[in-house]
Amino acid sequence: MTQEKFINSTYVQQMCKITRGLYDHGWDERNGGNVSYRLTEDEISQYADTDKVLRNVPIAFDASELAGQYFLVTATGRYFKNVIDNPERDTGLVQIAKDGHSVDIRWGYNDGAQPTSEFPSHLMTHINRLHVDSNQRVVMHCHPTNLIAMSFTLPLDEKTFSRILWKMQAESVVVFPEGLGVIPYMTPGTNDIGEATAEKMKNFRAVMWPHHGVFGAGDSMDETFGLIETIEKAALIYTTIQAQGGVCLQEITDDDLADLAKNFGLTPNPKFLTGKSLVENK
Ligand code: 2HA
Ligand code: ZN
């Protein structure tokens, strides 16, 4: 890699902006959060001067389905607050090795860093999302406050969460018509949470990790950030309703949801389209 060139690439610039944006929203305190961004050989070839591998790092599962693919990935333990000032230290470009059990570091991590501790969840998510969307590029994990708070006060089921978030603003069902995936509370950084998350990613682009945060997937940085932003905005409205006493006198009805979907040419998850009203006795 021609280091000076790659650091100025649009990909590293986007990573800097997005990590800073996540920090500024208060969703990535300390070393919270991680982002991976799939890049094509074509996109990075203009920055490549050799096939040089800086280091090889083992990974604890089989990512051979992604062999040869490149990912720009935030480093484990680093603070999103600082990525913008030190992208070559706090992020790295890796290529998945042929056997799928290690990654070759091509650029970055220049003080010995390694990819995020949530790398298994990221790669497993990329694999499953690529099966349903060949344009899949980005996996983003962060700790949005209001959504996390809701994971303490509501039953942990997808229908409850999806319907409440859909009903908080007209935009929700348009931005995430499939709803929100929910897994049980699990230990972060493990292959187990990666497998559970990736399984949900077959049907959803956003999966809540109770008492922890959210995983989002998408075709671009903006789209993935926008997805999480919309979910968290809905969660903020829900929190604000609770602060105002929690009683809804009116709402976006199930018929309104169906109309929204029709108007935007979307097919929302049919399992979540009818159910309990937010207005008591309705
Ligand atoms: O990268 O957010 O889930 C730090 C985390 C772990
Ligand atoms: Zn986390």
Side-chain angles (χ1 to χ4, degrees), residues 28 31-34 75-77 116-118 141-143 188-189 209 212 215:
D28 282 310
N31 65 319
N34 26 79
T76 184
T116 168
S117 60
E118 304 294 1
H141 166 63
C142 63
H143 303 162
W209 285 11
H212 182 151
F215 253 72

Side-chain angles (χ1 to χ4, degrees), residues 154-163 180-182 208 272:
L154 289 167
L156 294 179
D157 74 77
E158 286 160 355
K159 182 167 179 173
T160 302
F161 267 84
S162 300
R163 282 178 58 77
L180 178 73
V182 177
M208 182 176 75
F272 304 158

Side-chain angles (χ1 to χ4, degrees), residues 132-274:
V132 286
D133 173 14
S134 58
N135 294 319
Q136 161 62 31
R137 290 275 199 160
V138 175
V139 174
M140 199 175 283
H141 166 63
C142 63
H143 303 162
T145 315
N146 293 285
L147 187 70
I148 297 171
M150 286 173 73
S151 75
F152 291 89
T153 56
L154 289 167
L156 294 179
D157 74 77
E158 286 160 355
K159 182 167 179 173
T160 302
F161 267 84
S162 300
R163 282 178 58 77
I164 288 177
L165 295 173
W166 278 355
K167 283 171 176 257
M168 289 300 107
Q169 56 192 354
E171 241 178 310
S172 283
V173 74
V174 179
V175 175
F176 51 104
E178 65 274 59
L180 178 73
V182 177
I183 59 167
Y185 175 81
M186 296 175 80
T187 305
T190 58
N191 285 358
D192 284 352
I193 199 168
E195 280 159 18
T197 305
E199 184 57 33
K200 290 291 179 192
M201 286 287 185
K202 290 177 179 172
N203 298 310
F204 299 96
R205 288 169 301 137
V207 176
M208 182 176 75
W209 285 11
H211 323 325
H212 182 151
V214 70
F215 253 72
D219 296 354
S220 69
M221 286 287 204
D222 274 353
E223 192 202 301
T224 315
F225 189 92
L227 170 66
I228 292 173
E229 214 175 10
T230 307
I231 291 169
E232 175 58 6
K233 178 65 184 277
L236 172 60
I237 298 168
Y238 180 77
T239 304
T240 307
I241 291 170
Q242 302 312 306
Q244 291 180 6
V247 179
C248 293
L249 300 183
Q250 48 276 323
E251 66 171 331
I252 294 176
T253 65
D254 294 359
D255 285 346
D256 292 335
L257 289 175
D259 281 350
L260 268 167
K262 200 169 147 211
N263 200 41
F264 284 88
L266 300 160
T267 311
N269 193 328
K271 285 188 268 174
F272 304 158
L273 260 184
T274 53

